Amino acid sequence: MIYIACLKYGNKYSAKYVNILKNMVSRNLSLPHKFICFTEDPEGLDSQIEIFPLEEMGLAGDFRAWWYKLKVFDKDLGIQGTLLFLDLDVTIISNIDCLFEYNPNKFCIIQDFLRIKDPNYAVKNSSVFRMEIGSHPTVWDDFVKFKDQITAGFAGDQDWISARINEAVVWPHDWVISYRWELKKQLENDPSKRISYELESQPPKDCCILVFHGTPSPHEVVDIPNPDPLIKRHWN
C-alpha cells in the first residue's frame, strides 16, 4: 500500500491546506493510495482523509510543530507499505508517480535548498521524503526518549533526520524546488521582468513539486488581486 502523509499541528495551517493537498495528490498520482494526516485537531478535514491522532508532547508553539513529523517513523503505526511525506505548504504541479519509482525501498529526501548557496550543506530538507514504513525506527524511538536534549541540540526535525539516516538518497535536483529561492531568483536575475506574483514563473520541465518554505505561503500568492497564475492553477 502507498500512503501520502501530512502533518497539521496548531494553527499555522488550516484544514483548507490539508484538503487542498489531498486534491492535488488525487490529480497528480495515478497509483492507488491512501491519504493520511497526523493531527491533534481533525475538524474540517475531508471525510476521506484517514486521521492519525497526535498526543501532546509539550512541544508548545506552532514554530515547533515540525518535531511531530517524526511520528511517521514510529514502528507501531499499524500500517505497512511505502509512505511519502509532504509538507502542507507545497504545490504539486505535475504527476508525482516518479517519486515512487525512483530508487525503490530507499529513503529519499530533498537536498536542502541551501544547496544553492553551499552545495556541500549536509542537512536535508524534510518537506518531501519517502520511506518504507517501519524503517529507521530509532529516529522516533530515540526522540521520545531524549526529546529535551534533541530539541535543544538540533534546529529542527530535518537536522535530526539528517543526523540519523546517513544513507539517504536525494531527489534529482529539478524534481522538487524552492518557490521563493529558485523561481523568484530566476525572475530577479532577469532585468526585463518586474518582480511580481502575477508573473507566471517557469519551473524546470521535470519539476513536480514547488516547496513554499518560509514566506510566502501558497495562499499569499493566490488570494491577492494579481495572483501568480501558476500557483492559482494548481493550488486548489
Side-chain angles (χ1 to χ4, degrees):
M1 176 58 67
I2 287 175
Y3 293 88
I4 309 297
C6 65
L7 168 72
K8 176 186 175 295
Y9 179 86
N11 299 316
K12 183 175 182 179
Y13 296 108
S14 66
K16 177 181 178 180
Y17 263 80
V18 182
N19 295 336
I20 286 179
L21 181 59
K22 179 184 180 298
N23 293 341
M24 292 190 293
V25 169
S26 296
R27 292 195 301 267
N28 292 289
L29 179 59
S30 65
L31 305 173
H33 64 276
K34 291 185 178 181
F35 191 99
I36 65 179
C37 180
F38 291 82
T39 184
E40 88 291 7
D41 179 15
E43 184 176 356
L45 298 187
D46 188 302
S47 60
Q48 295 182 349
I49 296 174
E50 186 173 353
I51 306 301
F52 280 65
L54 289 175
E55 297 180 2
E56 178 58 53
M57 296 182 67
L59 302 171
D62 289 346
F63 76 101
R64 308 203 74 187
W66 54 65
W67 289 110
Y68 287 97
K69 192 183 300 186
L70 301 176
K71 180 66 176 177
V72 304
F73 292 93
D74 187 350
K75 63 182 179 298
D76 297 320
L77 290 178
I79 55 177
Q80 295 180 327
T82 303
L83 181 147
L84 177 71
F85 184 90
L86 300 173
D87 270 356
L88 291 180
D89 57 350
V90 305
T91 298
I92 304 174
I93 63 172
S94 67
N95 186 274
I96 59 172
D97 290 7
C98 60
L99 299 181
F100 293 94
E101 298 162 354
Y102 186 74
N103 277 279
N105 303 316
K106 299 290 187 180
F107 181 87
C108 297
I109 194 169
I110 305 170
Q111 178 63 46
D112 192 83
F113 298 121
L114 279 174
R115 66 193 180 200
I116 301 165
K117 300 176 181 178
D118 180 2
N120 297 315
Y121 187 67
V123 174
K124 307 301 186 287
N125 184 290
S126 62
S127 297
V128 180
F129 65 85
R130 191 201 70 215
M131 58 180 286
E132 294 305 301
I133 297 169
S135 62
H136 311 290
T138 59
V139 173
W140 173 251
D141 291 344
D142 287 352
F143 177 72
V144 173
K145 293 177 185 176
F146 307 110
K147 172 173 61 70
D148 292 341
Q149 297 95 312
I150 292 169
T151 55
F154 290 83
D157 68 280
Q158 61 190 28
D159 298 73
W160 175 241
I161 291 171
S162 299
R164 297 310 301 268
I165 306 179
N166 296 322
E167 68 275 23
V169 175
V170 299
W171 304 115
H173 177 280
D174 288 351
W175 288 13
V176 183
I177 69 171
S178 164
Y179 178 84
R180 72 187 181 104
W181 281 11
E182 294 180 86
L183 291 191
K184 287 185 68 179
K185 180 173 182 287
Q186 173 185 324
L187 296 180
E188 290 163 0
N189 285 342
D190 186 342
S192 69
K193 294 182 178 180
R194 178 171 58 88
I195 304 307
S196 171
Y197 295 134
E198 70 187 59
L199 294 173
E200 180 164 0
S201 309
Q202 296 299 323
K205 65 181 180 63
D206 294 330
C207 179
C208 56
I209 295 180
L210 304 177
V211 178
F212 281 74
H213 55 107
T215 56
S217 293
H219 76 273
E220 293 176 315
V221 301
V222 170
D223 299 334
I224 57 176
N226 295 303
D228 183 321
L230 175 67
I231 307 307
K232 185 176 179 62
R233 184 163 67 248
H234 294 284
W235 191 77
N236 56 71

